[in-house]
């Protein structure tokens, strides 16, 4: 049998168990040009929720379809020349045990590393942090880099890469526990609990020389505060808007746009990790080396069992995870 | 006597006659290293109002000081080697007949052109349009360029430079009169009256291929609509926020920031004309040639008499001018 989670209906406000529906169906047969993939690990990402809101960089999810999501799996049957049984592949085939996928929608992974690393730190998550920070943020040694959702999948990587680039690194996270963890375990110079209130004052104290690069995963009040603290010609890497995904009605945008963008000559720039996939091989090799040498700690929060996927995604929006949230299938 | 307008008090809401105070004082004596300048033409700019709001790229205006403003004048006495009586200079010495200015705060103008052109189209205004559009917006032939406050000092220049760059050009302005004028007199492909309501629908109709470059002079509802209509990897040139300068309480920022900035991979970037003054000579020569050859119409709205300066600035925020607003002294 092929166990599946369907996307059942668009949430009004927060996602809940009834956003998804469990079903079981026959294992599909691959057609010519396709491979049958068995899921080994699912990636849970804030973007999963954003796809429910409407068209983004991809079409909106439609109720009734298999819930979309990035995954790692093993080819069990192949009718395409480029892939054979046993190959490890990644792609977006969603929350199910098996999928018959056209070869062009699969990427074969050759980097030797545990699946826990291949699902995040050495794939979408790590590459998002790497390309966003280095290609768009362009930090210089001595710069102050702020990253929001710093204890999350992308944030943990951004902070550590920024440290390797010689920057002073400050993060925001929900709760004092996570903040302490960022400083003690990941080497952040400071961390601010955005749930404690007074986020502007706390960030001002944590960034006495202002902010040169803000890696924005959240939007919302942290973006607003960061705009006020940015230095002349600062760069804001627009990566996500997670504070506004799991809500009934998105909040107004930052007042400081465009006023402070003009007066401080800021650059705000959005990106999607795929924009830089022509540089993927080099970036992935570098990330793998950093992880192997212990220069970067790859933080993965693995939940066991496809049946747990909805609760895990709900937990992600409640801030329960540290690092990459993944489901082992 | 030296007639002066002082900045009298910070406006609550719109500027009015009582924002300024008339005074007469002695003509100052230039000290060593200074030149005594006689004002010939004052530039009135939306930025004049922004300086009243607090610190921007310069310190906030302080009640009691001479009202600041960019000006063109003639040296009448000089105690600095680089300047002599009769030289035409520009600088920010504000709303007064005479000023004793340190040489480093004056720029000698050598371009042969009437003062009406030197005050705007061939100075701050024209250069703002030129550098913002070409250096930050980076339009390609065939791109759709939208410019807000298109009938204003910067907007009229942006639109015409964009046409020379081979773009389809759309502007927003207040009132159907101005819109017709933009199309008939300045060669815009379309213009949208932002005061008529339904600005998003009107812009969508005017930009059937979406927007590649948005030159933002206004912020506010036009920025919000433009964000929704931007094409993938579009550029937003953040030049001004005039919709939010002459108000009691600025409106919330655009909802689409950062959401659409991420999904469409937009770049929003602020600048100040001085950032590019290392390229000023070349740009000014090019603008002067375009104006001389009739490829660009330099639109200047000149009011006679220093006493009229407050009414002229109030009129600018009521949208009474077309092109560059200046006061002949």
């Amino acid at each position: 049998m092929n166990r599946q989670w369907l996307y059942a209906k668009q949430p009004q406000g927060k996602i809940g168990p009834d956003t998804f529906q469990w079903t079981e169906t026959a294992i599909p047969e691959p057609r010519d040009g396709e491979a049958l993939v068995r899921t080994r690990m699912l990636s849970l990402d804030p973007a999963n929720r954003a796809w429910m809101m409407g068209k983004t960089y991809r079409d909106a999810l439609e109720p009734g379809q298999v819930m979309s999501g990035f995954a790692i799996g093993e080819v069990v049957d192949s009718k395409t020349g480029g892939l054979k049984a046993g190959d490890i592949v990644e792609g977006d085939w969603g929350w199910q045990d098996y999928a018959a996928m056209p070869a062009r929608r699969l990427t074969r992974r050759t980097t030797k590393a545990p699946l826990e690393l291949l699902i995040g730190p050495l794939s979408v998550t790590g590459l998002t942090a790497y390309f966003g920070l280095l290609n768009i943020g362009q930090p210089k040694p001595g710069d102050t880099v702020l990253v929001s959702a710093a204890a999350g999948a992308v944030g943990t990587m951004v902070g550590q890469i920024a440290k390797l680039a010689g920057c002073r690194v400050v993060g925001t996270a929900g709760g004092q526990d996570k903040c302490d963890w960022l400083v003690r375990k990941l080497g952040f110079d400071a961390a601010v609990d955005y749930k404690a209130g007074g986020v502007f004052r706390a960030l001002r104290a944590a960034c006495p020389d202002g902010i040169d690069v803000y890696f924005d995963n959240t939007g919302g009040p942290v973006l607003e505060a960061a705009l006020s603290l940015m230095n002349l010609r600062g760069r804001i890497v627009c990566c996500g808007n997670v504070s506004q995904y799991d809500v009934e009605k998105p909040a107004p945008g930052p007042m400081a746009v465009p006023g402070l963008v003009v007066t401080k000559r800021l650059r705000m720039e959005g990106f999607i990790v795929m924009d830089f996939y022509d540089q993927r091989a080099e970036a992935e090799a570098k990330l793998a080396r950093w992880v192997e040498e212990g220069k970067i700690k790859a933080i993965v929060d693995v939940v066991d069992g496809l049946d747990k996927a909805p609760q895990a995604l709900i937990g992600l929006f409640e801030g329960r995870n540290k690092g990459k949230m993944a489901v082992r299938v």
Side-chain angles (χ1 to χ4, degrees), chain A:
Chain A
M1 292 300 286
N2 187 20
R3 303 172 307 157
Q4 299 178 318
W5 279 109
L6 305 182
Y7 171 56
K9 64 172 188 179
Q10 192 178 30
Q12 304 302 315
K14 291 184 183 302
I15 51 168
D18 63 349
T19 306
F20 308 96
Q21 187 189 329
W22 180 261
T23 184
E24 294 180 0
T25 176
I27 296 171
E29 283 286 332
R31 287 174 296 189
D32 277 352
E34 290 185 341
L36 181 66
V37 180
R38 180 162 170 256
T39 308
R40 299 283 299 275
M41 192 85 77
L42 280 183
S43 169
L44 299 190
D45 300 285
N48 299 154
R49 177 66 181 85
W51 302 337
M52 299 174 186
M53 301 172 76
K55 188 171 160 56
T56 53
Y57 52 93
R58 50 176 284 164
D59 288 337
L61 296 182
E62 290 291 339
Q65 72 170 92
V66 174
M67 176 61 199
S68 290
F70 180 77
I72 292 253
E74 190 181 333
V75 173
V76 291
D77 188 6
S78 174
K79 289 189 174 157
T80 171
L83 293 170
K84 60 178 194 307
D87 282 349
I88 297 295
V89 290
E90 69 174 34
D92 175 358
W93 58 81
W95 295 11
Q96 54 185 337
D97 286 321
Y98 294 94
M101 294 286 286
R104 66 183 160 74
R105 291 187 52 205
L106 296 173
T107 303
R108 196 158 71 92
R109 300 298 302 273
T110 53
T111 297
K112 298 286 171 233
L115 294 180
E116 290 86 345
L117 298 184
L118 291 182
I119 190 71
L122 302 185
S123 181
V124 175
T125 304
L127 294 167
T128 296
Y130 181 98
F131 292 129
L133 179 67
L134 301 180
N135 292 16
I136 296 189
Q138 299 177 358
K140 293 182 297 293
D143 276 359
T144 294
V145 173
L146 174 70
V147 54
S148 55
V154 172
T156 49
M157 298 294 284
V158 168
Q160 295 181 89
I161 298 170
K163 285 304 295 181
L164 292 178
C167 301
R168 175 179 160 78
V169 177
V170 178
T172 63
Q176 197 53 46
D177 255 20
K178 279 185 184 169
C179 289
D180 293 343
W181 176 80
L182 287 170
V183 172
R184 283 201 215 121
K185 298 287 183 188
L186 296 192
F188 279 57
D189 295 286
V192 166
D193 175 9
Y194 76 89
K195 290 181 175 170
V199 68
F200 172 76
R201 274 193 304 269
L203 282 173
R204 190 175 52 187
C207 305
D209 299 322
I211 300 166
D212 301 292
V213 177
Y214 171 44
F215 194 108
D216 183 27
N217 287 311
T218 60
V222 179
L223 172 59
E224 185 87 58
L227 279 158
S228 290
L229 295 166
M230 293 302 291
N231 290 329
L232 264 190
R233 298 186 179 79
R235 287 80 69 197
I236 298 181
V237 183
C238 297
C239 179
N241 191 20
V242 67
S243 71
Q244 306 303 316
Y245 291 161
D246 199 31
V247 297
E248 191 170 345
K249 194 169 149 32
M255 294 272 302
V257 172
L260 291 183
V261 175
V262 178
T263 56
K264 297 188 187 184
R265 293 86 139 169
L266 304 179
R267 172 161 56 83
M268 297 185 72
E269 192 165 348
F271 78 106
I272 304 283
V273 62
M274 289 82 85
D275 298 344
F276 298 108
Y277 267 11
D278 58 325
Q279 305 162 41
R280 176 171 180 164
E282 187 198 334
E284 195 176 314
K286 210 176 276 187
L287 288 168
R289 199 168 58 243
W290 284 336
V291 170
E292 202 179 305
E293 293 172 352
K295 289 181 176 163
I296 282 187
K297 293 189 177 75
I299 312 294
V300 187
D301 195 332
V302 178
V303 170
D304 273 299
L306 181 62
D307 55 310
K308 303 288 197 318
Q311 281 306 330
L313 189 63
I314 292 166
L316 184 145
F317 281 98
E318 291 170 347
R320 284 204 229 120
N321 59 306
K322 277 180 188 149
K324 179 70 192 176
M325 188 95 190
V327 173
R328 185 179 286 114
V329 178

